[in-house]
Amino acid sequence: MPRSISPGRLATLLDDAPRRSPAYREVATALQMLVDDGRVPAGTRLPSERVLAEQLGVSRTTITRAYARLVDAGFATARHGSGTVAALPDAASRDGRGALMPAESTGSADGAIDLTCAVLPPPVQLHAAYEQALSRWSPEMGGSGYYPLGVPALREAIAEDYTRRGLPTHADQVMITSGAIGAHAVAARAHLVPGERLLLDSPVYPNSLASLRAHGLRPVAVPLDDDGWDLDTWASAARAGARAALLLPDFHNPTGLLMSDDERARLSHILRRQRALALVDETLAGTALTGPAADGGMPAPFGAHHHRTVMIGGASKSHWSGLRIGWLRAPAELMGPLVAARTTLDLGSAVLEQLALLELMAHEDEIATTHREAATARRDVLAAELRSHLPSWRFRIPDGGLSLWVELPEPVSTAFVVAAEARRVLLAPGPRFAAESGLERRLRIPFTAPEATLREAVRRMAAAWEALDRRAMPRRDPARPLIA
Ligand SMILES: Cc1ncc(COP(=O)(O)O)c(C=O)c1O
């Protein structure tokens, strides 16, 4: 039985789409973008032609022709008795849409420049860290190998790090997880009830949202723009009822914004009134590049302001995503359900990787400096190239994080990404980061690739922008799936 979308919801999504003419083509193009982008997932039964026509206030012929065009382009199927159902032309190769995955992991990079993934290469110390982890043959390597809470020495090191950063922590309050994303799943299972409202920013990191949505939470988005967090809107959204909030205050992905100490205090006050649990994803906390935060002026972790907080971190941005090591830190009274929930998902993370991370943490300063220097240089190259080749694009230079969050002069992000893919640059369009819908004027461009690659990518992007047919149906090359 395919899922369906209500006519009202579809009309709202269509309202956000860019306007083109004639009407049937306009509706078809907007629908295709919604399906292509995962906002109307493949497999969703679309409203009947009559009902959608009434909802949009257009003729039934307009919708009949729009649906026919959608079917022609492979973005829907029409079967007698089951109506029109959204589809992807190359559905088999695009599992996991809505989440963000690097193209190389889906086997689709194909010589293209992949800017879908914001991660730096591993530190040079990685090989030696594994060797040391093996050669030290620690007590952890001789036991059963099951550490559902993590290897004790690593938990201690992470607890010390929180304490040093202003959030006193005991090792018992730390659990090592399978990446930061694993920590989201554990926290949701332990402390959030399916169907509950979850306050969050839009844009947001899509995989965090996907993980919490999978637990049945209902996202309530608070818009986040270049001016930062609108705490009045947060307050009114919280008053309407929320038991939980997802926050990315530390070089928010994708905007790169950093929440100040004062804003953290105010937001925690808002959440405290609702007795809301904060899930704080600080995966990018270690990516300060410039400004006071890079000079040791990083605000205290959100948990220092708000007691009912599960802090979520990981080694992916600070060390290497291939370690697949993340963690969570919670007040002692929240730990019991977290431990119980973890063992329903997996029984622990790989021991050798935890020991390798421990070795890497001994070189923390060196690794952070190398990362900072590389990322700052790449950020500045990307910014300079964009200013020179795409002067109508606007962006602020973030003091941290790993991407520029670009504002396009027109709401054509999805169409542009499809055009850029044809020129062999893979990007994630703005709507991929939208909690609900919109953000067609936005584009995330990571600055993690080498400088020469970024220069070439901008050259190709400029050519794609120049040639972009703003009235055409964006159409994918079915042979080459983009990120999912
Ligand atoms: C905010 C945020 N959280 C989590 C992750 C993924 O973390 P991990 O690789 O540790 O699962 C990312 C990766 O981009 C991220 O940006």
Side-chain angles (χ1 to χ4, degrees):
M1 181 80 182
R3 72 182 110 176
S4 55
I5 183 166
S6 75
R9 171 79 183 133
L10 188 55
T12 308
L13 290 173
L14 286 169
D15 228 29
D16 288 331
R19 293 278 149 220
R20 297 188 179 99
S21 61
Y24 80 89
R25 196 191 287 173
E26 188 177 285
V27 174
T29 302
L31 274 172
Q32 177 173 325
M33 287 189 357
L34 293 174
V35 176
D36 201 20
D37 193 52
R39 281 175 288 166
V40 174
T44 305
R45 187 206 301 270
L46 302 179
S48 75
E49 291 164 9
R50 183 185 55 77
V51 170
L52 186 60
E54 276 167 17
Q55 182 76 38
L56 295 178
V58 297
S59 76
R60 187 167 168 175
T61 322
T62 299
I63 303 301
T64 307
R65 293 183 72 187
Y67 277 5
R69 200 173 159 88
L70 204 65
V71 171
D72 267 1
F75 284 86
T77 55
R79 240 174 270 129
H80 200 64
S82 42
T84 307
V85 177
L88 287 167
D90 51 347
S93 53
R94 288 163 170 240
D95 291 348
R97 288 192 73 81
L100 200 60
M101 281 189 238
E104 68 187 38
S105 75
T106 62
S108 64
D110 193 19
I113 299 176
D114 181 3
L115 300 184
T116 62
C117 190
V119 277
L120 287 164
V124 291
Q125 294 86 346
L126 185 70
H127 195 274
Y130 269 100
E131 280 179 343
Q132 279 154 4
L134 264 178
S135 65
R136 288 209 180 142
W137 198 254
S138 63
E140 284 85 0
M141 303 271 278
S144 73
Y146 284 119
Y147 290 94
L149 282 139
V151 162
L154 181 60
R155 295 171 66 206
E156 271 159 34
I158 289 169
E160 273 166 29
D161 194 53
Y162 276 117
T163 304
R164 185 185 54 73
R165 290 167 53 207
L167 177 59
T169 300
H170 189 273
D172 291 349
Q173 294 172 258
V174 174
M175 175 193 292
I176 308 300
T177 58
S178 300
I181 283 300
H184 285 78
V186 174
R189 238 175 226 215
H191 290 295
L192 303 178
V193 177
E196 268 178 3
R197 285 158 55 94
L198 173 79
L199 298 187
L200 42 71
D201 302 310
S202 185
V204 67
Y205 172 62
N207 295 345
S208 297
L209 174 58
S211 165
L212 297 172
R213 262 212 176 110
H215 187 66
L217 294 162
R218 283 189 299 137
V220 177
V222 180
L224 175 66
D225 61 24
D226 291 341
D227 296 331
W229 284 268
D230 175 353
L231 295 181
D232 292 338
T233 307
W234 265 91
S236 57
R239 270 196 303 276
R243 300 289 311 282
L246 169 68
L247 305 173
L248 285 74
D250 304 286
F251 303 120
H252 176 275
N253 186 359
T255 63
L257 287 163
L258 177 67
M259 193 184 281
S260 69
D261 266 317
D262 179 51
E263 288 170 320
R264 287 171 201 236
R266 286 170 57 205
L267 186 49
S268 83
H269 184 70
I270 292 167
L271 297 180
R272 217 167 22 246
R273 282 181 163 167
Q274 307 299 322
R275 299 182 44 73
L277 178 77
L279 293 191
V280 178
D281 182 342
E282 53 158 10
T283 302
L284 285 134
T287 62
L289 304 178
T290 43
D295 287 335
M298 191 69 188
F302 193 81
H305 293 280
H306 188 65
H307 183 74
R308 273 180 65 74
T309 294
V310 178
M311 299 292 303
I312 292 174
S316 286
K317 307 292 170 165
S318 51
H319 297 87
W320 185 45
S321 47
L323 289 166
R324 304 308 314 134
I325 300 294
W327 53 84
L328 57 78
R329 181 266 176 218
E333 70 272 18
L334 298 186
M335 285 303 288
L338 288 165
V339 178
R342 201 265 160 77
T343 50
T344 64
L345 288 161
D346 64 4
L347 299 180
S349 301
V351 171
L352 184 62
E353 270 63 22
Q354 295 184 61
L355 296 176
L357 176 58
L358 201 51
E359 298 293 339
L360 288 172
M361 285 171 80
H363 301 276
E364 194 74 45
D365 292 345
E366 270 165 74
I367 294 175
T369 306
T370 313
H371 269 183
R372 184 164 55 247
E373 286 171 4
T376 307
R378 291 171 185 196
R379 177 196 69 181
D380 294 346
V381 163
L382 177 62
E385 292 294 309
L386 288 174
R387 281 193 183 122
S388 147
H389 296 281
L390 287 153
S392 64
W393 292 14
R394 302 266 168 263
F395 50 87
R396 42 174 281 289
I397 303 279
D399 273 329
L402 296 170
S403 319
L404 295 184
W405 182 234
V406 169
E407 183 173 0
L408 305 174
E410 296 155 74
V412 291
S413 185
T414 306
F416 172 70
V417 165
V418 174
E421 185 182 346
R423 291 181 190 252
R424 302 168 78 71
V425 182
L426 310 185
L427 289 153
R432 188 55 60 82
F433 301 86
E436 281 161 353
S437 62
L439 299 180
E440 269 293 350
R441 274 184 192 275
R442 292 292 190 158
L443 181 67
R444 186 189 77 164
I445 314 182
F447 44 76
T448 45
E451 291 167 29
T453 309
L454 289 172
R455 286 199 180 90
E456 174 59 17
V458 174
R459 203 187 57 72
R460 294 185 198 179
M461 282 192 264
W465 181 253
E466 175 75 26
L468 184 66
D469 178 353
R470 285 152 179 83
R471 284 167 312 147
M473 289 269 276
R475 205 192 160 106
R476 284 193 182 286
D477 172 2
R480 186 164 355 99
L482 186 67
I483 52 149

